[in-house]
Amino acid sequence: MQNVFKVLGYVKHIWRQIALVAAISIFTTALSAIQPYGYKLIVDELVKTASNHRTDSKLIWLAIGALLVLRVVSSIANYFSSLLGNRVYSQVFISLRDSVFRRLTTLSLDYFEKNRTGEIMQRASGNVAELANWVYSTADGFLSMNLTIIFALVLIFVVDWRAGIVMSIAVALFMAQQVPTLRQTRPMGKKSREEMERAGGYLQETITHIHTVRSFGGEPGAIANHLEAIKSWRQLQYDRLVILQRSILFRQLTNSVAIIITFGIITLGALNGTHTAGDILLVSLYLQQITQNIWSLGRFIVQTNEIDITAERIVGMLEIKPTVVDGPDARELTELKTIMFKDVSFHYPGKRRKVLQNINFQIDPGQSLALVGPSGTGKTTITKLLLRFYEPTDGEILINDEPIRNFTQDSIREKMGVVMQDVALFNDTVEANLKLAQPEATHADVIRAAEQAHANVFIEKLPEKYKALVGERGVKLSGGEKQRVAIARAILKNPQLIILDEATSALDSESEHHVQAGLSELMEGRSSVIIAHRLSTVMKADQILVLKDNKIVERGTHTDLADKSGGLYAKLFKLQTEGFVKA
């Protein structure tokens, strides 16, 4: 239960409302406990009448009236309890969902690289809903169930202490039997959650990459992976169900024997004249209350065990710490001038192989730096370190001759505009995707940025122009169109440093010509980092770094490197300008 209590710490602001729901539940429980005595009184008076004894009909009608009032008051209380309870549910759901979402937005990239998106979504959505529902059920029913059982046992003791002892033993056996049952089923419940999250991960990945899956005929493999996780979940659920059913069978047998013995004791007392017919009805009603609530309590205990597993998954997300954090003395970066990588080496978390080794370079204000070389040599990783997605393993990065950690992450990224090779677009309008870079931008600002990126050409042809939806991950746009939107977004941000990671790789020659003109205007007077395999896009760079085997093997201008005999850059440039030579 410690995980549940940890999660409840995130909804402290609504504890008063939760307490109010619990108070109403206790009130209605007390009303329910009183009602059987009204029925006992009526039956005893009627039996007296049938036996020709004197009876007080006023007492009967008074009892009936009292029962009516009790039921009406109870119904009204339940009405308000339900309204307030649903409000509690929605507020718990919103608070937890918001807390989880906020936490996710602060986590470092390595968390998302180690976990499937579908698994994260399952924890952040379905698990939160289950926990919110449990909080409502607990406030509305947990105390009520326990108090009803306690009240009923006490009142049975009042009628006959022997009957009270029998039912108390039955309740004690039920509670004791829950401990080993939960100890056995908890690991199964935890593993089944993991399997369901794994299945959700396969489902989400398949939908996200459906074009690739179908292109390679990968449907059977995707289906097999999903089915394997579902079958594993099913087996765990079945094994868990067998244990729970054994517990239920024990509960049924214990409860049945106890009820018959208790009823027999009261019946024998009635035959001997120590109990009345009303006592038989009274005890019967209390036995019914105990039975109903003990079954509900059993389900609640099992559900609570499940919820604690759910809470553990949520706590895992809420308590995980980002690997990259701002220092206590970090301040806002007001102006980005110089950037220096000083003996920087790096390997990804959990990996031993270094993807960067002893990287050294400096970018002065207004300079452009190009990173070229074979794939997998760490070019994009350099930009990730610059954006502080990761911390260097060795060495340090300096901004304005100060360690990069002296500045807040948000203020650093605010000064940078990024156009990645894999363009990220939301399923929203073109304008909304552009305004991601600058939410306060006017429509005129958006149009100017689109024109500069040569994106207005295709946007104006869309049926709803800038209000047109781009689809999931921009599926309604071509690769070149998506890239031009991304470039326009960077232009709209008006950053001090431009990072272009294969920014023009998906453009045709004509579009590239127009975009390059816009980028040239954008980069005028600004620092820039350009990653490109097309060397024609980096020829004007002030400094070119050639990477191989995760190291810088060459550096200089295009003129210096293109004329270098035996150099890697010269070889790559020759291949791209002259084509491949047949053996």
Side-chain angles (χ1 to χ4, degrees):
M1 286 295 292
Q2 60 177 349
N3 295 304
V4 173
F5 291 132
K6 285 182 179 179
V7 173
L8 290 179
Y10 289 88
V11 293
K12 289 181 178 179
H13 58 289
I14 60 169
W15 279 8
R16 289 184 179 180
Q17 295 182 41
I18 294 174
L20 182 56
V21 172
I24 295 175
S25 180
I26 294 172
F27 175 68
T28 56
T29 297
L31 296 181
S32 298
I34 297 172
Q35 291 179 35
Y37 263 98
Y39 294 115
K40 164 186 162 54
L41 179 61
I42 293 170
V43 169
D44 283 343
E45 289 300 317
L46 290 174
V47 168
K48 290 179 182 179
T49 301
S51 302
N52 295 320
H53 290 89
R54 294 183 61 184
T55 185
D56 186 358
S57 61
K58 291 182 179 180
L59 185 61
I60 294 177
W61 291 113
L62 183 62
I64 291 175
L67 286 172
L68 176 61
V69 171
L70 289 174
R71 295 186 71 88
V72 169
V73 172
S74 181
S75 297
I76 294 173
N78 284 328
Y79 169 76
F80 286 106
S81 177
S82 179
L83 290 180
L84 184 59
N86 277 281
R87 185 177 178 183
V88 166
Y89 165 81
S90 61
Q91 288 186 323
V92 170
F93 178 82
I94 291 172
S95 296
L96 291 180
R97 187 73 174 265
D98 182 62
S99 297
V100 169
F101 189 80
R102 287 176 184 272
R103 172 58 62 181
L104 286 174
T105 59
T106 65
L107 295 181
S108 304
L109 285 187
D110 57 324
Y111 176 82
F112 300 96
E113 291 172 351
K114 290 185 294 186
N115 294 275
R116 285 190 174 94
T117 302
E119 295 177 9
I120 298 174
M121 290 296 296
Q122 178 66 23
R123 297 175 198 173
S125 55
N127 288 357
V128 169
E130 291 179 31
L131 189 55
N133 187 61
W134 179 86
V135 171
Y136 164 54
S137 299
T138 302
D140 186 53
F142 178 67
L143 283 175
S144 174
M145 287 183 286
N146 283 279
L147 289 176
T148 297
I149 293 171
I150 293 171
F151 286 165
L153 286 175
V154 169
L155 294 171
I156 289 175
F157 261 105
V158 172
V159 176
D160 193 300
W161 64 269
R162 294 167 300 177
I165 289 177
V166 171
M167 287 307 301
S168 296
I169 292 174
V171 172
L173 287 174
F174 160 74
M175 296 301 296
Q177 199 267 343
Q178 295 298 309
V179 176
T181 299
L182 296 180
R183 187 178 295 120
Q184 286 180 285
T185 57
R186 182 179 177 83
M188 297 178 182
K190 185 175 181 179
K191 182 62 178 176
S192 67
R193 291 272 175 177
E194 294 173 356
E195 290 301 310
M196 183 55 70
E197 289 174 3
R198 186 161 71 97
Y202 287 131
L203 178 63
Q204 188 274 336
E205 287 181 343
T206 302
I207 293 173
T208 300
H209 304 297
I210 190 64
H211 293 88
T212 303
V213 171
R214 288 187 176 175
S215 297
F216 286 91
E219 292 93 339
I223 292 171
N225 288 334
H226 182 262
L227 186 60
E228 178 191 358
I230 292 295
K231 284 184 175 180
S232 178
W233 169 83
R234 181 187 65 183
Q235 186 61 48
L236 288 164
Q237 288 292 91
Y238 177 77
D239 294 342
R240 175 175 165 275
L241 180 64
V242 170
I243 296 173
L244 290 175
Q245 287 299 321
R246 289 174 185 167
S247 173
I248 291 173
L249 176 61
F250 174 84
R251 195 189 317 163
Q252 287 178 327
L253 292 175
T254 303
N255 193 50
S256 297
V257 171
I259 287 175
I260 295 302
I261 292 175
T262 299
F263 193 77
I265 290 173
I266 302 301
T267 302
L268 182 62
L271 292 173
N272 293 333
T274 56
H275 294 310
T276 66
D279 290 332
I280 296 177
L281 176 61
L282 179 69
V283 171
S284 297
L285 292 175
Y286 283 135
L287 288 175
Q288 185 180 22
Q289 287 187 2
I290 292 174
T291 301
Q292 290 176 346
N293 284 276
I294 207 168
W295 278 103
S296 298
L297 184 60
R299 288 193 298 270
F300 181 83
I301 291 173
V302 172
Q303 182 189 21
T304 299
N305 185 55
E306 292 287 321
I307 288 300
D308 193 53
I309 297 172
T310 297
E312 183 179 1
R313 312 294 284 174
I314 296 175
V315 167
M317 297 179 70
L318 292 174
E319 294 191 345
I320 190 170
K321 303 298 182 183
T323 54
V324 180
V325 295
D326 290 332
D329 299 323
R331 64 184 191 277
E332 297 290 315
L333 175 64
T334 57
E335 184 180 5
L336 193 157
K337 298 177 182 178
T338 60
I339 297 170
M340 179 185 292
F341 273 54
K342 190 175 181 180
D343 296 322
V344 171
S345 296
F346 176 73
H347 63 78
Y348 283 98
K351 307 289 184 180
R352 291 185 177 180
R353 187 182 71 86
K354 289 185 177 180
V355 295
L356 292 174
Q357 297 186 55
N358 301 321
I359 302 299
N360 289 277
F361 65 82
Q362 179 171 328
I363 306 175
D364 292 324
Q367 278 193 337
S368 58
L369 171 73
L371 304 173
V372 302
S375 299
T377 54
K379 300 185 297 296
T380 299
T381 301
I382 289 176
T383 64
K384 289 181 178 179
L385 292 174
L386 187 54
L387 288 161
R388 284 207 75 195
F389 291 160
Y390 297 96
E391 299 279 21
T393 307
D394 298 296
E396 63 178 344
I397 301 172
L398 304 177
I399 290 182
N400 303 342
D401 297 324
E402 292 188 55
I404 193 172
R405 60 180 175 274
N406 287 1
F407 305 104
T408 63
Q409 298 176 62
D410 289 342
S411 66
I412 291 172
R413 294 167 193 156
E414 184 184 347
K415 303 297 183 293
M416 301 179 184
V418 185
V419 180
M420 294 293 187
Q421 183 177 10
D422 183 17
V423 179
L425 296 180
F426 293 89
N427 188 13
D428 208 331
T429 65
V430 173
E431 184 166 0
N433 275 281
L434 290 172
K435 283 189 173 183
L436 178 67
Q438 189 61 261
E440 295 80 17
T442 65
H443 184 64
D445 294 332
V446 170
I447 294 176
R448 276 194 296 270
E451 290 174 345
Q452 195 171 358
H454 198 60
N456 66 311
V457 176
F458 76 85
I459 294 175
E460 292 295 337
K461 294 178 182 179
L462 297 174
E464 298 180 22
K465 296 182 172 54
Y466 288 86
K467 299 300 180 183
L469 294 174
V470 302
E472 190 81 21
R473 296 174 63 87
V475 69
K476 295 182 180 181
L477 304 180
S478 69
E481 290 170 345
K482 287 193 289 185
Q483 215 151 19
R484 278 182 275 174
V485 169
I487 293 169
R489 184 162 58 190
I491 292 172
L492 184 63
K493 189 175 184 180
N494 192 26
Q496 295 177 8
L497 173 72
I498 310 299
I499 298 177
L500 305 176
D501 188 348
E502 295 290 345
T504 61
S505 63
L507 301 179
D508 55 65
S509 299
E510 182 181 355
S511 295
E512 182 180 5
H513 171 73
H514 291 288
V515 171
Q516 287 288 8
L519 289 176
S520 297
E521 183 179 339
L522 172 66
M523 290 187 288
E524 184 69 30
R526 294 182 175 88
S527 305
S528 60
V529 176
I530 308 166
I531 298 175
H533 285 104
R534 283 189 197 174
L535 300 187
S536 60
T537 62
V538 301
M539 292 172 61
K540 296 181 180 180
D542 297 309
Q543 182 181 185
I544 299 174
L545 303 182
V546 184
L547 285 85
K548 182 182 180 182
D549 298 328
N550 314 115
K551 301 176 182 177
I552 298 175
V553 294
E554 298 175 18
R555 69 174 70 220
T557 64
H558 170 74
T559 302
D560 297 334
L561 299 175
D563 295 336
K564 186 177 180 180
S565 178
L568 177 58
Y569 185 89
K571 180 182 177 181
L572 294 173
F573 184 68
K574 184 177 181 180
L575 286 172
Q576 291 186 19
T577 55
E578 298 181 5
F580 291 94
V581 179
K582 293 183 179 180

